[in-house]
Every structure is written in structure tokens, then in C-alpha cells.
Amino acid sequence: MVLFGSALVSALLILILKPLLVRYALARPNARSSHKIPTPQGGGIAVIGACLLVTGAALLTGNALPASFTVVIVATLMLALVGAVDDIRPLPAIPRLLLQIAAVTAVVVASDMRVLPESVPLAVEQALLVVGGVWFVNLVNFMDGLDWITVAEMVPVTAFIAPLYFVAVASLPKEANVSEVMFVAASLCGALLGFAPFNKPVARLFLGDVGSLPIGLLVGWMLLQLAGTGALAAALLLPLYYLMDATITLLRRLRRGEKVWEAHRSHFYQKATDNGFSALGVSAHVFGLNLVLAGLAAMTLIWPSGAVQVAALGAGVVLVGLVLRRFSTPRPKIPLEVSR
């Protein structure tokens, strides 16, 4: 019910907002773009709006919002505002980064989640989680550069977070409240499905930073909750394609001495389109890969031994590596026969 309600609200909000987005938030193509004609951006307003509205309505039925989740909502709205401003008039890198750090820090501290062994001091762990969270928010933004790719990545991730989190919590010795993660996962999945028809190749609407930044924060928060149950391997496997594509690309750009905060076309999914893959073909590869990664994540919960965790992570890395290699390889051109 939450998923379908969120999809409907997202689609309706897009229909209402699109005339304004066409007028005020038009993304014009440049040398680093994947699109060829000016296209409105800002669809993330509908996606995040639908997600938060439906989640809030579901959680408020008979109960007050938990204080820690209220912090998540406020941080999400703050990043959405930062993204909206940046979509219209690009912000300088430093203020943008500082606001992201503030939002992620608030979420990490409010979650009070332990992922690493108890021997690691809490302050050190939280600092590492903030760095990882800021990187995750940015990599989701960096990877949102092709029609349907965020849908192909985040729909499977959010669809599987809910059942995996439920199974992980059920194995804990004490009861835990799963409603926030379950509702956010279902409503964000639904909101992205409502956005999908407008973003299918060739896209008539983009998410914009107003969508990609808060989506990164919400998904990062849910993965943190999953990892906090002891399912760290599952939390790494679900977004592994995005993690590897963005991180390898960043390291390569640093090695070449490039300004990593500037826009570019160095990601593997961007190389794929240069090498003959269609946008739909890239998204199909990402979607299929994510289904397999979700299956590996489920295995780590069904058989929670250390050997299975390592084997599943290793298999995930190999599978993502094969897809990245395929994206980096030019597709052979089929010669056209000329009739005489």
C-alpha cells in the first residue's frame, strides 16, 4: 500500500510541477552531458516529497515520529534545499560540502549505530561513518548522469532493503522497531517508480541534485541501519555497483591530478555510452546486476558464517568488475550490407 501510494503521489506531483520546472529548471546539454536537448530537472522534488509525505502519514498513524527519525527528515529536507538551489544556480564546492557534512553528521549521531567492533572508539567510528556517508551522498549524485540509471540502481536496492532488514532484525536477541526503515524503503521505491516513466530513455525529466543528494542520504541511512544489525556484508553488497564505479573513477582522477569536484565523463557508465551501449542497455545491465547482488546479500543473512560473508563479497566484487570491464570495452560495429 505504501509503495503504490508513494508511486501515485510522485507521478501526480511531477505532472503538477513539470510546467514550472520547464520554465525555471532547464538543464542545457554541454560537453559532459549525456543528453542532447534541453531537459527540465527537479523531478527529485516529487520523489522526495512523495517519499516523506507517505512515510510520515504511515508512521504518524497512532504514533509520534521518533526523535532520531525526525533528524533524518530535517537533514533530508536540508539537502533537498541545497540541491534545489544548486540546480538553478550552482553553489561553490566548499559551502555545498560543509552543508552535506552537517546533514550526514546529524544523521550519524542521531542514529547512534555501531557497525565496527566495540574496540573501536565511538568517536572514531562516527567520524568514519560521516566520511563514508558524505562520499555516498556525493557518489549517488555523481552517478545520476544517465536516463534511468538511478531508477535501475535504487529501485532494487530499496526494494530489497526492507525484507533484508526485517530478516536481520528478527535474528537479533532483542526486539527492534523496524517501521521507519521499512516505510522509507517502500515509499522511496514507490516514488522512484512513479518518476520512472518520465525519466525513461529519452528522458523528459531529470531528478536533479534536489533528488540525488537526499536520495543518497536516505539510502545511506537505511544501509547504516542494516549494517547496525550485524549485516555489514549485505549493506555493502546492495549498492556495490555504485560504490565501485564511483570510487574507482575518483581514484583514477586523483591519480591523473584532475579537479575531482568538476563535472566530467569518466564514469564507467558514461564510457559505456561512448562505447556503443544505449542508455537503456546500460540501465538494464545495472538493474540485472543489482538483482544478483541482492541475492548475494540475502545469502549472507541466510548463512551468516564468516566464510559465506567473504565469499559473497568476493563474488560481488568480481561480478561488478566484469560489468565495469564490459562497459569499458567498445562494442563491435556490425558492418552494413550494401545492396547492388
Side-chain angles (χ1 to χ4, degrees):
M1 190 68 178
V2 170
L3 186 146
F4 293 112
S6 186
L8 180 61
V9 172
S10 177
L12 288 175
L13 286 174
I14 287 173
L15 292 174
I16 293 170
L17 291 171
K18 194 174 178 184
L20 291 174
L21 299 177
V22 170
R23 184 172 181 179
Y24 296 108
L26 208 59
R28 301 188 182 279
N30 55 47
R32 298 180 177 92
S33 301
S34 296
H35 62 291
K36 305 297 183 184
I37 60 174
T39 305
Q41 58 186 347
I45 298 173
V47 172
I48 298 303
C51 175
L52 295 183
L53 284 172
V54 174
T55 299
L59 289 174
L60 285 172
T61 306
N63 297 294
L65 287 177
S68 61
F69 186 63
T70 302
V71 173
V72 175
I73 293 176
V74 172
T76 300
L77 291 173
M78 185 179 82
L79 281 192
L81 179 60
V82 171
V85 173
D86 201 46
D87 283 336
I88 297 171
R89 180 174 296 178
L91 293 171
I94 297 301
R96 175 185 165 111
L97 179 62
L98 291 176
L99 290 168
Q100 292 171 356
I101 292 172
V104 172
T105 299
V107 169
V108 168
V109 172
S111 298
D112 194 27
M113 194 65 63
R114 297 305 303 261
V115 175
L116 301 178
E118 294 290 335
S119 57
V120 178
L122 178 60
V124 173
E125 180 173 357
Q126 288 185 334
L128 292 173
L129 289 175
V130 169
V131 172
V134 171
W135 172 230
F136 191 79
V137 167
N138 278 282
L139 72 85
V140 171
N141 176 242
F142 296 156
M143 295 294 291
D144 182 43
L146 189 67
D147 302 346
W148 253 7
I149 192 167
T150 297
V151 173
E153 174 72 14
M154 291 305 177
V155 165
V157 169
T158 52
F160 280 93
I161 280 178
L164 291 179
Y165 184 70
F166 182 82
V167 170
V169 167
S171 65
L172 296 178
K174 60 180 181 179
E175 293 186 3
N177 184 8
V178 301
S179 58
E180 296 110 52
V181 172
M182 302 282 282
F183 283 139
V184 171
S187 61
L188 183 54
C189 183
L192 285 167
L193 289 173
F195 165 74
F198 302 92
N199 188 241
K200 72 175 182 179
V202 174
R204 293 171 289 150
L205 180 67
F206 298 149
L207 270 177
D209 289 4
V210 67
S212 59
L213 293 176
I215 286 173
L217 183 68
L218 285 174
V219 174
W221 168 75
M222 289 187 284
L223 292 172
L224 174 60
Q225 301 303 305
L226 179 61
T229 66
L232 179 58
L236 291 173
L237 279 164
L238 286 175
L240 191 58
Y241 169 71
Y242 262 30
L243 288 173
M244 287 183 62
D245 188 323
T247 303
I248 293 172
T249 300
L250 174 71
L251 294 176
R252 285 179 169 179
R253 295 189 72 208
L254 285 172
R255 186 180 62 187
R256 293 194 294 263
E258 298 179 13
K259 296 178 180 179
V260 295
W261 56 88
E262 293 183 350
H264 61 96
R265 283 190 55 81
S266 304
H267 285 288
F268 289 88
Y269 74 88
Q270 292 170 322
K271 291 180 180 178
T273 58
D274 294 338
N275 287 331
F277 285 83
S278 66
L280 185 59
V282 173
S283 296
H285 276 74
V286 173
F287 185 82
L289 173 63
N290 277 310
L291 294 180
V292 178
L293 292 175
L296 291 173
M299 285 176 53
T300 65
L301 298 181
I302 298 170
W303 297 288
S305 69
V308 172
Q309 312 288 309
V310 172
L313 281 170
V317 169
V318 170
L319 288 170
V320 176
L322 290 173
V323 171
L324 296 181
R325 182 178 179 181
R326 182 170 173 80
F327 283 172
S328 300
T329 305
R331 302 192 75 178
K333 295 182 179 180
I334 301 175
L336 298 175
E337 293 185 5
V338 180
S339 59
R340 298 188 179 184

